[in-house]
Amino acid sequence: MSLSPLGVKRAAVAAAVVLGTVTAVPASAHPRDSGQVQCHGTESVSYQPGVTLEARPIHFTVDGHFDSCTGGDGTVKSGGYHEEFTVTTGCINPLEEFRDHRTYVWNTGESSTADIAGSSTVVAGQVVTPATGTVTHGRFHNRKVLQIIPIVQPSALQCLGDGLTHATGATVLTIS
C-alpha cells in the first residue's frame, strides 16, 4: 500500500501531534532572563569644575564597575557602565530629581539599557542616590531596575577653594 502526497502530509501532521511539536520561544521568555540578579561594586564620579558651596553647572563623569553579580542563570558575573552629563549642583544641595538612560555592559558581551529616574538625599553623612527604572533594550528587557549609590557627603573643607573633584562609593544593582 502506498500513500498519496496528501496522505504523506496527513501522516506527517499526525506524527507531529503524537511526537510533540517544536515551538519557538520568544527571547523575552528565555529562561536565562528569569530570576533576580544582584550586582555589587563601586561607582566613581569626577566633577569638573569641582563641586563648591555655591551651586553651578558641573560636568559629571561616572564610571561604575560590578565585580560580583549573582542570580539569574548565573552567566552574568560582572559588568559596568559609563556616563557623562552636566547638572547644576553644589555641596549643600544634592542632586535634584533626574531622568537618564543608563547602559550596563555585561561580562557576556551583552548590554541592558534602562530608563532610570531618581534623586539624592543626605542620610547619616552620605549622599544616597536610589535610581529606579525599567530595562528598555537588550538583556533583561522589561525587567525592573533598582540601583542604590551611597557616596560620603563632602565636608565643608572639601567644598572650599577648587571644590570636590572626585568621589567613590559602593553600589548595589538589583534587576527583578
Side-chain angles (χ1 to χ4, degrees):
M1 176 175 141
S2 68
L3 293 175
S4 68
L6 182 58
V8 170
K9 287 181 184 176
R10 286 182 181 157
V13 169
V17 169
V18 170
L19 298 174
T21 59
V22 177
T23 307
V25 176
S28 63
H30 196 283
R32 73 178 182 156
D33 287 338
S34 64
Q36 181 173 290
V37 175
Q38 191 167 72
C39 299
H40 297 265
T42 57
E43 180 175 287
S44 296
V45 184
S46 297
Y47 310 102
Q48 183 60 39
V51 181
T52 61
L53 291 173
E54 183 179 326
R56 61 184 177 173
I58 306 288
H59 184 77
F60 285 58
T61 302
V62 180
D63 287 297
H65 301 282
F66 299 112
D67 300 323
S68 171
C69 295
T70 58
D73 71 350
T75 59
V76 172
K77 299 193 180 302
S78 62
Y81 55 96
H82 174 85
E83 292 178 328
E84 294 190 33
F85 55 91
T86 301
V87 296
T88 299
T89 190
C91 284
I92 56 174
N93 59 326
L95 291 176
E96 299 292 325
E97 290 184 22
F98 65 88
R99 293 192 167 288
D100 198 8
H101 303 286
R102 177 167 286 170
T103 299
Y104 301 97
V105 179
W106 308 113
N107 63 291
T108 60
E110 299 167 290
S111 63
S112 302
T113 300
D115 286 343
I116 60 171
S119 63
S120 299
T121 56
V122 177
V123 178
Q126 293 188 352
V127 178
V128 179
T129 307
T132 60
T134 301
V135 176
T136 56
H137 301 306
R139 179 94 188 240
F140 308 116
H141 186 254
N142 287 332
R143 304 272 300 274
K144 298 295 180 194
V145 172
L146 169 62
Q147 185 173 0
I148 306 293
I149 309 147
I151 294 180
V152 175
Q153 183 179 13
S155 70
L157 289 176
Q158 291 172 307
C159 296
L160 298 175
D162 292 336
L164 178 68
T165 59
H166 184 79
T168 299
T171 184
V172 177
L173 170 70
T174 303
I175 301 173
S176 55

